[in-house]
Amino acid sequence: MFKDSADFRRVASGVLLIVAPLLQAIAVILDPGTWGDEREAVSFGDDPALAQVQSVMYHWAYLLMALAALGLLHVMRRRATVFGHIAGPLVILGYINASGLLMADPVEWWLGKHYAPEEATRIMDEMVNLPGVVFGFQMPWIFFAIFGMPVLAVGVWRAGFAHWWVPLVLAIGYGGSMAVPYGPATVVLWGIPVVALGWLGVRMLRMSREEWISHYPAARTAPQAVTPAV
């Protein structure tokens, strides 16, 4: 498989579509802030080990989601191509930036350990509200990840690879999570996309090598002879 680029990319894309959203769903379950104080300076101090585990899982979930989005672009090579070329890179950039924000978690834990909760929250807010942090990592990049994946799934549906319910489920899960406070409801809402993206991943894994290759656009011109370099 590793010597065959088609099979490797097919399997890697399928596995990422299953694993990445699953990691995110597990991370929100493990996050002490999901069930405890919404101030991470407090909740992270309640269980520092678990706080670090969830932070690492979020980090890798977002990085792998970026790669999973790249895999989805393959099935949009022949249809909805321009749509994919626009939405795909924005989704990828969104998840990479979201991953970078996880570096704030150990800072917030340290502040909570050395300062009163109110002072720790004030310091952290002052840090993350710096213009460079806001426009370099948060705005509008976070929304490209959260809302971008359902939009990208619309392109996958238009390309004929997904059913209509896939982008709908992703919109309900990721979009709905923005309408409720981070907490137990987020567990449900971020668990929903696992079904939709996992279904896409399983479908990719079940594809034959020939089906995967069929998404490459046919060559429109005959190959031209290339003069070897001397």
Side-chain angles (χ1 to χ4, degrees):
M1 180 188 73
F2 287 96
K3 294 183 178 180
D4 189 298
S5 62
D7 271 342
F8 176 79
R9 293 168 186 172
R10 175 183 61 81
V11 173
S13 298
V15 170
L16 287 171
L17 285 166
I18 296 171
V19 172
L22 187 60
L23 281 177
Q24 183 180 3
I26 295 174
V28 70
I29 295 174
L30 298 180
D31 189 349
T34 300
W35 316 101
D37 198 304
E38 63 178 7
R39 297 170 299 178
E40 292 181 338
V42 177
S43 61
F44 284 3
D46 294 338
D47 195 332
L50 206 57
Q52 293 179 63
V53 171
Q54 64 84 28
S55 184
V56 170
M57 294 187 72
Y58 271 134
H59 166 69
W60 282 103
Y62 294 149
L63 286 180
L64 296 181
M65 284 289 278
L67 293 176
L70 183 63
L72 286 176
L73 295 182
H74 175 75
V75 299
M76 303 169 68
R77 289 177 181 268
R78 301 180 68 93
R79 297 176 60 186
T81 305
V82 175
F83 186 92
H85 286 168
I86 296 173
L90 293 179
V91 173
I92 293 170
L93 289 173
Y95 276 112
I96 292 174
N97 276 273
S99 171
L101 290 174
L102 271 300
M103 287 301 296
D105 281 3
V107 176
E108 194 148 16
W109 169 79
W110 188 91
L111 290 173
K113 185 178 179 181
H114 293 83
Y115 295 92
E118 292 75 16
E119 180 65 8
T121 301
R122 186 195 66 78
I123 296 173
M124 192 66 192
D125 287 345
E126 186 174 337
M127 293 170 60
V128 298
N129 287 329
L130 291 171
V133 178
V134 172
F135 297 106
F137 292 89
Q138 301 177 42
M139 304 292 291
W141 313 107
I142 293 178
F143 296 105
F144 286 159
I146 296 173
F147 296 119
M149 183 58 80
V151 172
L152 183 62
V154 171
V156 176
W157 165 59
R158 293 292 296 165
F161 189 77
H163 292 301
W164 59 268
W165 61 266
V166 172
L168 177 62
V169 167
L170 292 177
I172 293 173
Y174 290 135
S177 67
M178 298 297 292
V180 300
Y182 185 84
T186 312
V187 175
V188 177
L189 291 169
W190 281 2
I192 293 174
V194 175
V195 177
L197 292 176
W199 182 87
L200 290 175
V202 171
R203 181 168 187 197
M204 279 192 180
L205 292 174
R206 289 179 174 176
M207 293 172 68
S208 65
R209 182 178 184 278
E210 290 70 26
E211 288 175 318
W212 179 266
I213 293 176
S214 70
H215 286 278
Y216 287 104
R220 296 185 178 181
T221 58
Q224 299 178 352
V226 179
T227 303
V230 294

